[in-house]
Amino acid sequence: MKVQIPSRTCDFVIIIILFIIISLTVYSIHGIKIVNDSARYLEYASNLSEGFYLDKHNFWYVGYVFFIFIIQHIFGNDPVWLILSQYLYSLAGIVFLYLTVDVLHGQRGPAILSALMYLLFIEISFWNSYILCESFYLNTICISLYFLLKLYKADRSELILILPALFFITLTSLSKPTGVAMLLSVLLVTLYFLQKQIRLRPPVFVIITLLAFIGSALLLNTMLRTYLVLENYQLGEIVYGVSLVGGYEQLLVRVPEHLSILPETYPPLLRILHFALANFPYWIRLFSMKVFFFLLHIRPFWSITHNLFNLAFLLPLYLFTILGLKGLPRGLSLFFYAFTGIQILSVGLTSVDWDGRFLMPLLPLLFAISSVALHRTFIRVISPEN
């Protein structure tokens, strides 16, 4: 008797085998990476043993800190357990990305392609070895996308999905400062559906929108209080800290002799807006260069091979993402534009990172949207008669 293995089971077997091979390779190269920022996450997690407290700056990473806290209390303080947990959580992220695309498009092809893209852009897996929030953050995004999409397509009998969706939205939003993109994107889509389904009267809709805008502005202003944004503007740095290293003038924008800057007594968000308007030619050059290096994911201090691989991978990915957006329901496309826009804007307003990790959280959503167009193109190539 011939036993038939479900096709999706085969997909998961392929994913797990590739994941194990790539993870073992990455771990053999990187091992456990404890870097400068690791100390503050570990310290915050350790201090939580004496009771929860708010740290003004590190609070925006508290989702990851709680992850560390839980792992340490279950397995102990040896960092190997934390790194192993990050690798396993990464596998969960890949599986949820597969399931998200399966729900979105209803096809195995795009689903397995999205998981393969995640695995083949091996730089993502590098961050599993680092005691940094990147790995946890981007895999929590994968899980959040699944529950949000399930909720989007759910009927009334499945509204219980609101609970896990809210949990992972909150966890994402508090795992890194740019996690606010998840919260604000969901808020924007919620407003869209409120207007579409309930058809709020214009005054009511305006009031709700205004309150949401004011709340978002207050939240962003609070977050910005602990970041040195304007100080970075005065250095002309495209990549953070590059002015301290010689030989990379292409990563610096010439700073005008006179800049208009509001005193520190003003709210941070207002100071940034004023700076952008009052010094617009300089600010827009700085902003544009940051977005350029962020999206192309190249650095002059990386190897030519590394830069070429990134361009060869990402440029088609962006193209297929644009193609994949065609035909996407308006609510989902609205979420995509809001989430990616806020992620890009956050880097353009602050600075590009030295090691490229800021791009990683953007990739799962790009993989999910691009996969259907990529799969369609792949089928046409191998079966031109169809």
Side-chain angles (χ1 to χ4, degrees):
M1 181 178 179
K2 199 172 186 179
V3 178
Q4 287 192 338
I5 301 174
S7 53
R8 282 178 175 78
T9 302
C10 293
D11 290 347
F12 290 136
V13 170
I14 293 170
I15 289 170
I16 292 170
I17 291 173
L18 281 176
F19 173 81
I20 292 172
I21 293 171
I22 290 172
S23 296
L24 289 175
T25 303
V26 169
Y27 187 80
S28 68
I29 296 170
H30 288 287
I32 298 172
K33 302 291 285 188
I34 301 176
V35 293
N36 289 339
D37 283 345
S38 304
R40 57 194 180 93
Y41 303 135
L42 294 171
E43 182 183 10
Y44 197 177
S46 177
N47 291 343
L48 288 179
S49 300
E50 301 174 7
F52 179 75
Y53 70 100
L54 295 179
D55 184 297
K56 288 185 179 179
H57 182 74
N58 291 321
F59 174 74
W60 306 109
Y61 305 87
V62 75
Y64 179 54
V65 170
F66 270 120
F67 177 74
I68 296 174
F69 177 80
I70 291 169
I71 298 302
Q72 287 182 339
H73 274 69
I74 295 175
F75 300 107
N77 293 331
D78 190 332
V80 71
W81 293 112
L82 176 58
I83 297 303
L84 176 60
S85 299
Q86 289 185 175
Y87 273 95
L88 292 176
Y89 193 61
S90 175
L91 178 58
I94 298 168
V95 170
F96 272 99
L97 177 62
Y98 175 100
L99 294 173
T100 299
V101 178
D102 193 23
V103 172
L104 178 62
H105 301 301
Q107 302 176 55
R108 283 181 56 218
I112 190 65
L113 279 176
S114 65
L116 290 176
M117 283 190 283
Y118 182 112
L119 288 165
L120 293 176
F121 197 74
I122 198 167
E123 191 174 328
I124 294 176
S125 298
F126 286 173
W127 297 108
N128 293 335
S129 278
Y130 284 74
I131 300 182
L132 291 171
C133 60
E134 262 63 36
S135 173
F136 179 79
Y137 175 49
L138 75 91
N139 289 300
T140 305
I141 288 173
C142 292
I143 300 173
S144 298
L145 292 176
Y146 171 76
F147 283 109
L148 283 171
L149 186 61
K150 287 288 286 183
L151 187 61
Y152 174 83
K153 296 198 169 191
D155 55 34
R156 290 186 179 181
S157 64
E158 298 176 299
L159 290 182
I160 190 67
L161 290 168
I162 290 176
L163 295 177
L166 285 175
F167 175 80
F168 283 104
I169 290 169
T170 304
L171 192 60
T172 302
S173 302
L174 292 176
S175 294
K176 197 177 179 185
T178 54
V180 72
M182 178 65 73
L183 180 64
L184 296 182
S185 300
V186 170
L187 180 61
L188 181 62
V189 174
T190 301
L191 287 173
Y192 166 76
F193 277 107
L194 278 175
Q195 179 61 14
K196 183 180 178 181
Q197 300 295 331
I198 304 177
R199 298 196 178 276
L200 300 171
R201 293 180 180 180
V204 176
F205 180 74
V206 169
I207 292 172
I208 293 175
T209 303
L210 187 61
L211 289 174
F213 176 80
I214 293 172
S216 300
L218 290 173
L219 174 64
L220 292 173
N221 192 68
T222 302
M223 295 175 66
L224 289 167
R225 288 188 186 280
T226 61
Y227 290 88
L228 305 175
V229 178
L230 290 174
E231 288 77 1
N232 175 264
Y233 289 170
Q234 295 174 69
L235 294 173
E237 292 181 340
I238 296 170
V239 172
Y240 182 78
V242 77
S243 61
L244 302 175
V245 182
Y248 298 114
E249 286 71 22
Q250 65 269 53
L251 294 178
L252 291 168
V253 174
R254 189 177 65 83
V255 183
E257 291 185 10
H258 302 288
L259 294 172
S260 178
I261 303 175
L262 288 177
E264 293 183 5
T265 51
Y266 286 86
L269 189 57
L270 182 60
R271 295 182 74 209
I272 292 172
L273 291 173
H274 171 268
F275 186 97
L277 295 173
N279 310 280
F280 188 75
Y282 166 67
W283 179 84
I284 197 64
R285 284 199 305 274
L286 193 60
F287 180 90
S288 301
M289 292 302 291
K290 288 175 182 178
V291 172
F292 174 83
F293 279 98
F294 171 65
L295 291 178
L296 291 188
H297 199 54
I298 56 175
R299 305 287 188 273
F301 44 80
W302 290 350
S303 70
I304 294 176
T305 303
H306 188 177
N307 285 325
L308 288 177
F309 173 81
N310 288 343
L311 290 174
F313 190 101
L314 292 173
L315 291 180
L317 175 65
Y318 296 149
L319 173 61
F320 283 113
T321 299
I322 293 170
L323 295 175
L325 285 168
K326 295 179 181 179
L328 200 67
R330 182 165 296 181
L332 297 181
S333 61
L334 184 61
F335 176 88
F336 171 85
Y337 288 121
F339 185 82
T340 56
I342 294 170
Q343 292 279 354
I344 294 169
L345 186 64
S346 66
V347 172
L349 288 174
T350 54
S351 62
V352 181
D353 56 309
W354 186 271
D355 47 28
R357 56 193 165 115
F358 288 179
L359 182 67
M360 301 302 107
L362 196 58
L363 296 179
L365 187 56
L366 299 183
F367 295 157
I369 301 299
S370 67
S371 59
V372 66
L374 179 60
H375 179 254
R376 192 183 303 124
T377 302
F378 180 73
I379 293 299
R380 286 175 182 168
V381 170
I382 63 173
S383 304
E385 68 278 5
N386 295 328

